[in-house]
Amino acid sequence: MSNWIVNEGLSIVVILVWLGLNGFLFVWFYLVYDVGPTFYYSREIYGHALAWARAPAACLNFNCMLILLPVCRNLLSFLRGSSVCCGRSIRRQLDRNLTFHKLVAWMIALHTAIHTVAHLFNVERCVDARVEANGTIQEALSKLGDGLNESYLNFVRSKVPNPIGGLNVAFTFLAGLSGVVITLALILIITSSTKTIRRSYFEVFWYTHHLFVIFFIGLVIHGFGRIVRGQTRDSLQVHDPIICAGNFTTWGPNNTLCPTPQFAGNPPMTWKWVVAPMILYVFERLIRFWRSHQKVVITKVVTHPFKTIELQMKKKGSRSEEHTT
């Protein structure tokens, strides 16, 4: 038991910390969007699905930041060979880089599924609020932006009912179109990464895995549409939604207690999470490209029993030899 703790203890700690950070981000951002005045009116349209969409989005940012790091082989080799920063136990963790890569990938798949399903409900409610919510606060909020000096809350501006209205959102908005693209890319990457595909059709696995480039490009631009909007700080100072929500029919510039609320979209945040790992991975691929063009010299050929041949090779500029049989 003690040997198992020594060998596996750090791995368990790493996994627990990673799961704990995922849980913390999910709960924190769920409460940000489900409690408080900033997104009070947003919840009138979206309901609880708003928080269910935004919480996994935060976890997606975190895990997409991590997913590329375990496959930076040159970085891991450098860390593994550095006795200053890496002891024996840490080197063991670095040798399990692909296991952690797979765990992060499954976490991305889980949060993508939650995020996507929640947004399907969000789009349906936005379209319905724009088309069918007659005489309700949802209709009043959806009409904001139609007049002068008004900022909109409901990003759906056309009055096309579902399901056509929902399809318009999916394929005419930047967030919708990029979401469809990155979801399809992720489905192809995950389905082609199963053990059966990897063993029987490795080329399929290899080429579809490079769809991660499309995935990350779509991920970065996904939030630039700013479709999730909340009440601005300045507006909250003069318009308390808890007080004014029940008097939505009297909103207007002449109402000093409840003037028309103003809204703004959330600034895109994903690029702040993934830009550093993306740059690091670009350098990783450049180093691989450079090393692939280095000259390799066969220094020794050894014949072993059972028709086995050992090749000893040395790459120019490398101090160590590589052996293969």
Side-chain angles (χ1 to χ4, degrees):
M1 182 66 179
S2 60
N3 290 335
W4 183 83
I5 293 176
V6 171
N7 293 329
E8 305 296 336
L10 185 57
S11 296
I12 295 173
V13 170
V14 170
I15 296 301
L16 290 177
V17 170
W18 171 64
L19 291 173
L21 289 173
N22 274 280
F24 170 77
L25 287 171
F26 192 97
V27 173
W28 176 269
F29 279 91
Y30 185 93
L31 294 177
V32 165
Y33 286 90
D34 203 53
V35 179
T38 301
F39 297 98
Y40 184 95
Y41 286 131
S42 304
R43 293 192 295 272
E44 291 289 343
I45 294 179
Y46 297 104
H48 294 293
L50 173 64
W52 279 104
R54 299 308 303 161
C59 296
L60 279 171
N61 290 339
F62 172 62
N63 287 283
C64 289
M65 177 187 70
L66 298 177
I67 191 71
L68 292 177
L69 299 179
V71 292
C72 291
R73 296 199 302 260
N74 289 287
L75 173 63
L76 297 179
S77 297
F78 171 76
L79 294 176
R80 193 181 292 110
S82 175
S83 59
V84 176
C85 67
C86 292
R88 181 180 301 176
S89 58
I90 296 181
R91 291 193 190 103
R92 289 174 62 88
Q93 307 313 310
L94 295 177
D95 291 338
R96 297 172 178 176
N97 57 317
L98 292 182
T99 300
F100 186 66
H101 176 76
K102 294 173 185 177
L103 289 174
V104 174
W106 284 115
M107 186 66 78
I108 289 175
L110 172 63
H111 287 297
T112 298
I114 300 173
H115 181 76
T116 302
V117 172
H119 268 319
L120 290 176
F121 286 102
N122 289 333
V123 169
E124 180 184 18
R125 296 196 61 164
C126 283
V127 173
D128 289 343
R130 186 67 174 161
V131 176
E132 301 176 1
N134 296 320
T136 63
I137 190 172
Q138 288 80 15
E139 181 193 23
L141 292 170
S142 297
K143 285 184 175 180
L144 293 177
D146 293 344
L148 296 176
N149 300 321
E150 292 180 351
S151 56
Y152 67 91
L153 175 60
N154 189 342
F155 67 93
V156 177
R157 308 314 300 163
S158 62
K159 295 184 178 182
V160 180
N162 283 310
I164 303 301
L167 292 174
N168 286 341
V169 171
F171 294 102
T172 61
F173 284 80
L174 177 63
L177 186 59
S178 61
V180 170
V181 171
I182 61 181
T183 302
L184 291 176
L186 183 64
I187 290 172
L188 290 173
I189 290 172
I190 291 177
T191 54
S192 65
S193 299
T194 58
K195 186 180 293 186
T196 302
I197 297 296
R198 289 202 316 271
R199 289 183 175 181
S200 302
Y201 307 97
F202 183 80
E203 294 83 1
V204 175
F205 159 75
W206 175 255
Y207 287 114
T208 54
H209 234 63
H210 283 77
L211 290 173
F212 82 92
V213 177
I214 297 175
F215 176 84
F216 271 91
I217 292 174
L219 191 70
V220 168
I221 67 174
H222 184 61
F224 279 88
R226 301 192 178 193
I227 62 172
V228 177
R229 303 171 67 81
Q231 194 173 352
T232 64
R233 291 184 180 181
D234 293 339
S235 178
L236 284 170
Q237 293 178 358
V238 297
H239 182 111
D240 187 341
I242 298 176
I243 297 174
C244 298
N247 303 317
F248 64 89
T249 57
T250 64
W251 293 349
N254 297 325
N255 189 333
T256 56
L257 180 62
C258 294
T260 304
Q262 301 296 320
F263 301 92
N266 286 350
M269 298 295 294
T270 301
W271 69 271
K272 297 180 181 180
W273 289 82
V274 302
V275 64
M278 289 173 67
I279 293 174
L280 189 64
Y281 190 77
V282 168
F283 280 107
E284 163 75 19
R285 296 307 293 253
L286 290 175
I287 293 173
R288 290 188 197 178
F289 179 78
W290 172 69
R291 294 184 65 182
S292 68
H293 285 74
Q294 288 182 304
K295 186 178 180 180
V296 178
V297 178
I298 298 177
T299 59
K300 191 175 182 180
V301 179
V302 181
T303 302
H304 294 283
F306 305 106
K307 298 181 181 181
T308 302
I309 297 176
E310 175 187 346
L311 298 179
Q312 298 184 11
M313 299 172 289
K314 188 172 183 179
K315 185 175 290 186
K316 183 178 178 181
S318 174
R319 296 181 181 180
S320 61
E321 291 188 348
E322 297 182 9
H323 298 245
T324 185
T325 57

